[in-house]
Amino acid sequence: MTATHPTSGVAVDPEPIDPRLAARAKAITERELKAYSVRTEGSQRATQRARTVMPLGVPSSFQAYDPHPIVVKHAAGSRMVDVDGNEYIDYDMGFGALFAGHMHPAVRAAVQAQLEDGTLYVTPCEMNAEVAELLRDRYRLPMWRFTNSGTEATMDAIRLARGFTGRNRIVKVEGGYHGHHDEVMISMKPPLELAGPADAPLSVPGTEGIAPDVVAGTVVIPYNDLAALERVLASGDIACFIVEPVMENIGICLPDDGYLQGVRTLTTQYGALLIFDEVKTGITAGMGGATGHFGVEPDLVTLAKSIGGGFPVGAFGGKQEVMDLITAGRVLHLGTYNGNPLVMAATKATLAEACAAGPTAEAIARNERLVAACQKVIDAAGLPAHTVTFGAKGCVTWKRDRVRNYRDYKTGYLDLAFAQWIHGINRGVMLPPGLDEQWLVSVMHEESDAMRYADVFAEFAAELTT
Ligand SMILES: Cc1ncc(COP(=O)(O)O)c(C=O)c1O
């Protein structure tokens, strides 16, 4: 079985591997796929039905995978139960959105209380400023606005950057995902045969339907490459560089020492704004996000996912002089549901209670123990893999060397990753297949929940190598 990325449809070719490992991984995959079909018959039926009324049978193409996705009926804390009654420990946690866990008691109480007072005013509520203050204190950026998703947050931040600089073109990283608006749906996971040279990648549309001038307006560079950034910025017409401080859509890809500081220096030097897209890192990285962790101040930060405690919220925050463009009416920022009181109640409870400093530190420490346990398994079995960690997230990367950018990621052992995934999901370890995602230890994962991943991984390693 070859997994494909849902939005690009590109098959990922793994590096050649030890033939014995490859043969064992194939045998495990075949056996586990059969077991999966038997234990997820209800999910299969539900998906078949859904495919008659929804493309791929899912509400977002990211949710589709072969042979069919798990269809879920119930979630609470760190667990989910599917329509067949199978229980999973959820390590995906809504692509990292559920740092608070599924329906944290504080979030539930806040949302229930708010239901008594209504769900949508389209005029401000006091919680708007309260939540903005909480974000200001964490991210040390003075001004904030709310959106309904990460996509809207990055779209609005880019528009602000264009308004502020009076420039049009933007720069993003190859392999980076920033949501599903046109100007960033470029080179998310481009097929290498279209992607051009590694140090000067081409801009490859990630979907049909994007106008050529939009594609031309987004310049793509490799992550962790300051020389490539400087070459592009030197053109003088770049409005912004939008980048995840830590890339979290190709496993976890960390910045080289000094990379983010270099990015800050260069963007300032060439008059482009720096947007840190923290939709995925967010508050899972610690109280001040990745921004606070690395101590590099961007001009704008985009957030979503983890700040909302499972509710659809996004936000962008920025320096006073940049956000003043909205105040002056030069850049419009709009949205019927922006800052609606239901979602604000969930966000406030998440930031102020569920994911306050204490629970955040505990989840990060628990994740460190999980990562260490997995690395021990890798070392003992001599697997061609390594662990990577950031904040409360971690991953097993099926590749011996560190991944520094998208091209490195493309050389990972996808077949081994798939075998681990299908083995794990049949034992109650819930993650999407492939090499893209990472696990999240939420504030509701107890020690034994977190460590279950390492136990199942150890079983898999033993089967793969003995
Ligand atoms: C880094 C990053 N930015 C933006 C987005 C878009 O967020 P949303 O799916 O809420 O629109 C995502 C979604 O995965 C993301 O990973």
Side-chain angles (χ1 to χ4, degrees):
M1 155 139 323
T2 310
T4 55
H5 186 268
T7 52
S8 67
V10 179
V12 180
D13 296 323
E15 272 183 358
I17 46 171
D18 174 346
R20 281 167 312 167
L21 281 191
R24 285 193 184 124
K26 189 161 178 267
I28 293 171
T29 298
E30 280 168 6
R31 184 194 69 209
E32 294 295 329
L33 275 170
K34 283 190 194 126
Y36 183 85
S37 296
V38 173
R39 58 193 292 285
T40 63
E41 279 177 356
S43 286
Q44 185 175 10
R45 272 196 304 278
T47 303
Q48 275 163 354
R49 173 185 171 188
R51 281 179 185 146
T52 66
V53 283
M54 282 188 289
L56 301 172
V58 290
S60 155
S61 294
F62 274 137
Q63 296 176 18
Y65 52 82
D66 293 332
H68 55 263
I70 300 288
V71 177
V72 170
K73 205 161 122 185
H74 173 76
S78 63
R79 283 161 198 257
M80 297 214 284
V81 179
D82 70 14
V83 290
D84 292 284
N86 300 306
E87 189 177 82
Y88 302 87
I89 298 181
D90 189 359
Y91 294 94
D92 181 38
M93 298 306 281
F95 297 141
L98 288 155
F99 186 41
H102 290 281
M103 275 334 296
H104 188 286
V107 176
R108 175 196 287 270
V111 168
Q112 265 171 351
Q114 184 56 42
L115 285 174
E116 300 300 318
D117 289 325
T119 60
L120 185 64
Y121 306 150
V122 296
T123 190
C125 61
E126 287 176 309
M127 282 183 293
N128 295 143
E130 288 166 8
V131 175
E133 284 163 8
L134 287 165
L135 293 175
R136 175 200 61 195
D137 294 347
R138 285 186 182 235
Y139 276 86
R140 303 189 185 286
L141 285 168
M143 299 294 276
W144 291 82
R145 273 284 179 98
F146 299 107
T147 66
N148 306 290
S149 67
T151 294
E152 289 175 46
T154 60
M155 181 184 74
D156 286 307
I158 289 170
R159 183 181 296 139
L160 255 182
R162 289 211 176 97
F164 188 80
T165 59
R167 300 171 176 181
N168 287 332
R169 294 201 303 160
I170 68 165
V171 185
K172 77 174 280 287
V173 155
E174 188 176 49
Y177 181 72
H178 301 289
H180 60 276
H181 55 98
D182 288 1
E183 57 210 330
V184 289
M185 285 277 280
I186 298 192
S187 295
M188 302 109 70
K189 296 257 172 19
L192 291 186
E193 60 276 18
L194 300 180
D199 60 347
L202 299 174
S203 299
V204 183
T207 170
E208 293 185 20
I210 301 182
D213 57 332
V214 175
V215 179
T218 296
V219 185
V220 175
I221 58 169
Y223 187 63
N224 272 326
D225 187 338
L226 289 173
L229 177 63
E230 181 156 26
R231 272 197 302 276
V232 174
L233 289 175
S235 65
D237 66 346
I238 301 297
C240 63
F241 178 38
I242 181 165
V243 62
E244 288 185 274
V246 173
M247 290 180 76
E248 291 195 346
N249 285 294
I250 53 169
I252 299 177
C253 179
L254 294 164
D256 291 348
D257 284 347
Y259 174 67
L260 296 175
Q261 288 79 0
V263 162
R264 178 66 282 183
T265 304
L266 287 174
T267 45
T268 305
Q269 185 183 333
Y270 289 97
L273 295 198
L274 175 58
I275 303 174
F276 275 170
D277 181 357
E278 287 225 44
V279 167
K280 280 208 96 176
T281 47
I283 63 170
T284 71
M287 287 298 283
T291 300
H293 178 91
F294 292 105
V296 174
E297 191 189 56
D299 299 294
L300 289 159
V301 162
T302 55
L303 295 170
K305 296 192 195 288
S306 55
I307 62 168
F311 284 76
V313 70
F316 57 97
K319 292 185 174 167
Q320 188 73 45
E321 63 271 28
V322 180
M323 299 295 279
D324 277 351
L325 264 72
I326 300 178
T327 311
R330 285 177 48 200
V331 170
L332 284 185
H333 169 241
L334 309 168
T336 300
Y337 289 96
N338 291 359
N340 69 76
L342 195 67
V343 161
M344 287 292 101
T347 308
K348 183 180 161 190
T350 301
L351 294 171
E353 291 179 68
C355 302
T360 295
E362 276 170 35
I364 290 175
R366 193 161 281 149
N367 177 54
E368 276 165 15
R369 292 193 285 281
L370 169 57
V371 170
C374 291
Q375 188 59 50
K376 214 165 141 190
V377 170
I378 292 169
D379 294 340
L383 299 177
H386 63 279
T387 52
V388 193
T389 181
F390 187 59
K393 293 182 172 184
C395 66
V396 170
T397 296
W398 284 96
K399 185 176 156 49
R400 285 192 196 279
D401 310 325
R402 197 189 133 208
V403 169
R404 289 184 60 246
N405 55 40
Y406 172 64
R407 304 287 171 120
D408 289 349
Y409 152 90
K410 289 286 280 182
T411 62
Y413 300 126
L414 188 70
D415 288 347
L416 293 182
F418 191 86
Q420 188 206 339
W421 170 75
I422 188 83
H423 174 274
I425 202 152
N426 283 338
R427 287 154 187 78
V429 170
M430 172 64 88
L431 267 172
L435 288 163
D436 293 359
E437 285 297 321
Q438 57 291 134
W439 69 68
L440 170 66
V441 172
S442 80
V443 299
M444 292 187 84
H445 279 74
E446 293 181 1
E447 190 76 9
S448 58
D449 294 344
M451 288 303 170
R452 173 85 184 136
Y453 183 99
D455 296 343
V456 173
F457 180 48
E459 277 175 35
F460 174 73
E463 247 207 86
L464 194 66
T465 53
T466 51

